[in-house]
């Protein structure tokens, strides 16, 4: 069957390695078949990709420390003739992973510290991330949660789900729940629906999100039946993860379009990865193609400080350079936010080129992407109080009451780090 999309810019399209060349389309397009034929050790890998003994040994070395698995579909996107193929670099282990650089951590985002109960990361005021499984169909070599997918194998048991739901239910400030993992869609549909139904039944939870790389690495999992099931949980957002335009195969495009056509908004989060997408042309192509699929480019993450992934990190300036090459040069809708998820649990901090050049009480001086410098006069009326603000602020505490925003809205004049104060007094 000819699929509706043919991407002539992807030289890898429809390539399948032996022994999968003659696999019927009905099997190839079946996600369960793909999982049953997942490659998870160097011997299997060497039967598919030409690997030297040395390369095989390198994969073998990493396995006791980090998981490896890749389904036939995603492995088929590897260019066997390019040692720096972006798909290969993302999916095939190398010995570089065994090199731990200074500053790298097991849990760089301090998620375990922000876990009031197991499997619930409650870092931000009104939302939580729930790790419902430790399983992925492909274990990204740059994974931030590699400690988690290694230790917490399998899906959550019912008693663990009880704890998760009880926590969310007893915290009325939580209005947004992100189901993550591992990969949330590696869970069977029945169990996933059970968890989603229980969370959806909590009155103060307004929004559900599914965080899943499945549209990229196992797009056949996104069936019409799954979409019909998921759309019952609206408002539901789907957070996916593409890093390179070569991942936008006809199958992946169909998966994304199925979700969007089913009324589920899809957002993309990329990780900035050295030698994979650390180039403005690659990122621009990726963002434009995603947008054409109605997938909103949401974040580009600076690569985290997880152990053994230093070879993927770029200077932060590379991300700023990429945003500089996107903003103004293409649709604003195609420009994601570049963020550093800072070590120690500070959360996502946006980093961007400077567009505000200077300011006085009379005007601001700004520049655009071309270097055009202009001014914008400050208004003479500066009171921005809205008569309806108090009326809509009923319910859980507003965001203004926390952090730096509080300094702007209350009488407090400073925020003092406890550590410094304790050392001085
Ligand atoms: S899909 Fe997500 S959780 Fe799984 S290995 Fe990749 S980055 Fe890690």
């Amino acid at each position: 069957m000819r699929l509706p999309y043919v991407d002539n810019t992807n030289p890898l399209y429809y390539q399948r390695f032996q022994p999968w060349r003659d696999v019927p389309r009905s099997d190839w397009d079946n996600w369960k078949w793909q999982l049953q034929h997942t490659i998870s050790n160097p011997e299997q890998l060497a039967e598919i990709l030409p690997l030297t003994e040395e390369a095989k040994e390198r994969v073998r070395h990493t396995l006791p420390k980090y998981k490896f698995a890749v389904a036939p579909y995603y492995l088929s996107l590897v260019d066997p003739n390019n040692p720096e193929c972006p798909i290969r670099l993302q999916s095939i282990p190398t010995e570089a992973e065994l090199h731990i650089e200074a500053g790298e951590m097991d849990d760089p985002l301090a998620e375990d510290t922000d876990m009031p109960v197991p499997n619930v990361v409650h870092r931000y005021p009104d939302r939580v991330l729930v790790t419902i499984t430790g399983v992925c169909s492909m274990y990204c070599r740059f994974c931030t949660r590699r400690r988690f997918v290694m230790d917490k194998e399998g899906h959550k048991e019912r008693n663990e789900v009880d704890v998760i739901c009880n926590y969310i239910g007893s915290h009325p400030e939580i209005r947004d729940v992100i189901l993550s993992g591992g990969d949330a869609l590696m869970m069977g549909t029945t169990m996933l629906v059970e968890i989603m139904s229980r969370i959806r039944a909590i009155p103060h939870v307004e929004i559900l999100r599914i965080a899943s790389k499945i549209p990229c690495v196992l797009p056949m999992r996104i069936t019409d039946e799954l979409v019909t099931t998921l759309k019952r949980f609206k408002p539901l957002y789907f957070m996916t993860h593409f890093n390179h335009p070569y991942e936008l195969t006809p199958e992946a495009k169909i998966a994304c379009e199925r979700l969007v056509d089913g009324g589920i908004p899809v957002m993309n989060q990329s990780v900035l990865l050295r030698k994979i997408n650390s180039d403005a042309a690659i990122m621009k192509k990726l963002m434009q193609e995603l947008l054409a699929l109605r997938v909103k480019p949401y974040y580009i993450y600076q690569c985290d400080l997880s152990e053994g992934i230093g070879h993927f990190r770029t200077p932060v300036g590379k991300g700023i350079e990429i945003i500089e090459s996107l903003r103004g040069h293409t649709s604003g809708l195609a420009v994601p936010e570049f963020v550093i998820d800072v070590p120690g649990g500070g959360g996502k901090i946006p980093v961007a080129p400077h567009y505000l050049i200077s300011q006085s009480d009379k005007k601001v001086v700004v520049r655009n992407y071309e270097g055009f410098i202009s001014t914008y006069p400050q208004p003479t009326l500066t009171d921005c109080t809205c008569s309806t603000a108090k009326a809509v602020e009923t319910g859980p505490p507003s965001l203004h009451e926390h952090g730096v925003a509080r300094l702007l809205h209350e009488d407090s004049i400073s925020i003092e780090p406890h550590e410094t104060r304790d050392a001085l007094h």
Side-chain angles (χ1 to χ4, degrees):
M1 182 186 77
R2 187 176 168 85
L3 291 161
Y5 293 105
V6 176
D7 182 353
N8 296 323
T9 63
N10 182 351
L12 308 171
Y13 179 50
Y14 280 139
Q15 175 185 326
R16 287 188 203 169
F17 292 115
Q18 286 293 7
W20 304 316
R21 292 244 160 89
D22 300 324
V23 171
R25 191 85 216 181
S26 54
D27 282 342
W28 188 256
D29 286 344
N30 182 328
W31 66 282
K32 290 185 177 159
W33 181 93
Q34 290 280 340
L35 290 181
Q36 280 156 8
H37 293 82
T38 287
I39 304 300
S40 57
N41 65 54
E43 286 68 36
Q44 291 172 318
L45 186 63
E47 284 171 22
I48 313 291
L49 272 183
L51 280 190
T52 60
E53 264 314 306
E54 211 185 345
K56 229 166 42 170
E57 197 52 30
R58 281 200 293 269
V59 175
R60 200 174 289 118
H61 272 161
T62 62
L63 290 190
K65 195 154 167 62
Y66 303 118
K67 272 192 193 169
F68 164 61
V70 55
Y73 162 78
Y74 194 73
L75 189 62
S76 290
L77 306 185
V78 169
D79 178 353
N81 301 315
N82 180 5
E84 293 191 354
C85 163
I87 311 296
R88 174 193 284 261
L89 295 179
Q90 290 187 75
S91 56
I92 311 289
T94 64
E95 217 158 30
E97 293 180 40
L98 298 175
H99 175 68
I100 313 283
E101 289 186 9
E104 289 182 352
M105 289 167 262
D106 190 33
D107 179 17
L109 308 182
E111 290 185 318
D112 293 347
T113 314
D114 280 338
M115 232 178 233
V117 296
N119 306 302
V120 177
V121 181
H122 194 173
R123 166 159 307 143
Y124 301 101
D126 68 343
R127 54 212 180 273
V128 289
L129 180 138
V130 179
T131 49
I132 56 172
T133 177
V135 183
C136 300
S137 81
M138 191 278 276
Y139 291 95
C140 311
R141 304 327 302 168
F142 51 85
C143 178
T144 294
R145 258 181 231 139
R146 48 196 350 210
R147 78 188 187 289
F148 181 84
V149 297
M150 199 67 195
D151 299 343
K152 310 271 167 67
E153 203 162 348
H155 308 311
K156 296 304 133 198
E157 303 287 340
R158 281 218 165 68
N159 58 334
E160 295 174 286
V161 175
D162 289 346
V163 174
I164 293 168
C165 292
N166 288 344
Y167 180 83
I168 297 171
S170 59
H171 285 264
E173 72 275 20
I174 297 171
R175 46 181 292 283
D176 182 355
V177 176
I178 303 153
L179 299 176
S180 185
D183 195 310
L185 282 190
M186 286 301 284
M187 191 160 248
T189 308
T190 309
M191 188 61 186
L192 182 67
V193 165
E194 186 181 323
I195 295 174
M196 291 178 80
S197 304
R198 289 185 63 181
I199 297 176
R200 179 44 80 227
I202 299 170
H204 53 263
V205 174
E206 295 168 19
I207 294 164
L208 281 177
R209 293 193 244 176
I210 288 182
S212 168
K213 199 175 164 72
I214 284 285
C216 173
V217 290
L218 192 68
M220 39 292 287
R221 169 74 172 107
I222 310 292
T223 59
D224 285 328
E225 296 71 36
L226 179 73
V227 172
T228 305
T229 304
L230 291 181
K231 67 198 276 195
R232 291 187 355 229
F233 296 96
K234 68 178 185 183
L236 171 70
Y237 288 80
F238 198 102
M239 321 305 291
T240 194
H241 177 181
F242 288 89
N243 288 324
H244 194 281
Y246 285 1
E247 295 173 328
L248 287 169
T249 63
E251 289 91 335
K253 289 178 174 180
I254 288 171
C256 292
E257 296 229 300
R258 260 192 196 138
L259 287 162
V260 182
D261 287 346
I264 302 169
V266 184
M267 328 281 279
N268 186 68
Q269 316 190 118
S270 298
V271 182
L272 178 56
L273 298 164
R274 194 175 73 91
K275 289 188 172 281
I276 293 174
N277 57 15
S278 50
D279 185 290
I282 291 174
M283 282 297 200
K284 190 167 165 189
K285 174 86 173 150
L286 175 65
M287 302 307 155
Q288 288 175 333
E289 287 207 15
L290 286 167
L291 191 62
L293 292 167
R294 294 167 291 160
V295 174
K296 169 76 184 89
Y298 183 40
Y299 285 133
I300 294 176
Y301 284 91
Q302 173 69 15
C303 187
D304 290 327
L305 285 169
S306 292
E307 287 181 354
I309 65 171
H311 53 295
F312 287 119
R313 291 204 291 128
T314 63
V316 172
K318 180 52 75 177
I320 294 174
E321 179 192 330
I322 286 170
I323 299 298
E324 184 74 70
S325 304
L326 293 175
R327 172 70 61 200
H329 297 270
T330 191
S331 322
L333 278 171
V335 184
E337 197 160 32
F338 174 50
V339 293
I340 306 176
D341 211 339
V342 291
K348 294 183 274 295
I349 297 180
V351 190
H354 297 297
Y355 295 102
L356 178 64
I357 291 176
S358 194
Q359 60 183 313
S360 72
D361 57 345
K362 300 277 184 312
K363 53 169 108 166
V364 297
V365 182
V366 286
R367 62 99 175 169
N368 80 352
Y369 71 102
E370 300 164 302
F372 182 93
I373 295 177
S374 185
T375 58
Y376 178 86
Q378 305 275 25
T380 47
L381 301 176
T382 56
D383 176 11
C384 298
T385 317
C386 295
S387 63
T388 53
K390 282 277 171 260
V392 300
E393 218 181 50
T394 51
S398 87
L399 298 181
H400 290 160
E401 291 169 34
H402 299 274
V404 177
R406 182 169 60 88
L407 297 180
L408 301 173
H409 292 267
E410 290 182 5
D411 290 337
S412 336
I413 55 166
S414 63
I415 296 175
E416 234 182 300
H418 287 297
E419 204 177 275
T420 318
R421 198 173 56 181
D422 292 350
L424 290 174
H425 298 288

